[in-house]
Amino acid sequence: MAGSRLEKIGTIYTRVTGLIQSKALNWEDRPLWYDIYSKFPPKEEPSYDRPVPNIKLRQIFYEDDKIRAIFHRNNKKIGTVHLLSNTSSLTQRFIETYKKVKEQYKDQNVPEEHLYKETIDLMNHDRVFKPQETFHEIEGEDSVSLSTAFKEARAKLKDGSINIKNIFKD
């Protein structure tokens, strides 16, 4: 059984059970999921030849997903997010500002492009973003510039004050 790698011959659970019974795998070295699978086995045994259930999947989209898609489509260079910081990301601040702008026009039929542009203008005007994150127009497309630290490092590379060959020397 250990020589077979096909999914058609047993499930992963039966293969691991076979390895434990044949002493090829010590009981102490069993995978973490093995005990959980033993206590709570699935209702139907997972098998390669089991027919796919005919269940209609619901499309789950939230209001924020559409706003986020618009923002990321128009802003490719928004930078990274530090997950341990307590501040909200640029995208989250954009969504919050967009919702506020949309709330102002709730009785009117305003196109999304107008709401987007007004949100960008409001964020630029109110400085909702960090100082190094600025919006600018490049041929009609809104995007976020790179951080100032990255720009300085690139400038040092261009003027020759940093030599990449010297960085990797032992």
Side-chain angles (χ1 to χ4, degrees):
M1 183 177 312
S4 173
R5 301 287 184 242
L6 292 175
E7 301 85 25
K8 296 179 182 179
I9 302 174
T11 63
I12 188 73
Y13 179 75
T14 58
R15 287 191 229 159
V16 171
T17 303
L19 290 171
I20 291 171
Q21 289 172 352
S22 67
K23 304 288 188 206
L25 180 67
N26 291 331
W27 176 253
E28 296 81 27
D29 296 333
R30 68 189 181 279
L32 295 172
W33 54 264
Y34 187 80
D35 294 327
I36 297 170
Y37 192 98
S38 300
K39 298 278 186 200
F40 306 103
K43 292 178 183 177
E44 296 181 30
E45 188 71 21
S47 176
Y48 81 98
D49 60 350
R50 186 176 74 194
V52 177
N54 190 10
I55 299 172
K56 185 175 181 179
L57 298 177
R58 293 184 299 152
Q59 295 292 330
I60 301 173
F61 287 108
Y62 297 99
E63 180 185 354
D64 292 359
D65 294 338
K66 190 173 184 180
I67 300 168
R68 189 175 289 110
I70 293 169
F71 180 68
H72 285 282
R73 181 187 65 221
N74 295 323
N75 301 291
K76 305 286 187 209
K77 301 176 184 176
I78 62 169
T80 58
V81 176
H82 185 26
L83 297 176
L84 297 177
S85 69
N86 292 334
T87 61
S88 60
S89 67
L90 182 62
T91 306
Q92 189 60 39
R93 291 182 295 220
F94 176 81
I95 291 170
E96 291 167 2
T97 309
Y98 186 92
K99 285 181 178 180
K100 289 176 186 175
V101 170
K102 189 174 182 178
E103 184 66 29
Q104 292 174 355
Y105 293 108
K106 66 180 177 180
D107 296 333
Q108 302 170 5
N109 188 14
V110 180
E112 291 179 357
E113 292 178 14
H114 178 73
L115 293 174
Y116 172 79
K117 288 181 180 180
E118 189 166 333
T119 304
I120 294 294
D121 291 341
L122 187 63
M123 288 180 74
N124 280 330
H125 183 264
D126 291 344
R127 297 279 187 221
V128 173
F129 49 90
K130 295 177 187 173
Q132 73 255 19
E133 298 169 338
T134 57
F135 289 99
H136 61 285
E137 295 267 325
I138 299 177
E139 300 171 347
E141 182 180 6
D142 295 329
S143 64
V144 179
S145 66
L146 298 172
S147 68
T148 54
F150 186 71
K151 287 181 181 178
E152 290 172 3
R154 181 174 278 175
K156 288 180 181 178
L157 277 172
K158 284 183 181 178
D159 69 10
S161 58
I162 296 178
N163 190 352
I164 294 179
K165 292 179 182 178
N166 294 336
I167 293 174
F168 296 108
K169 280 187 178 178
D170 291 333

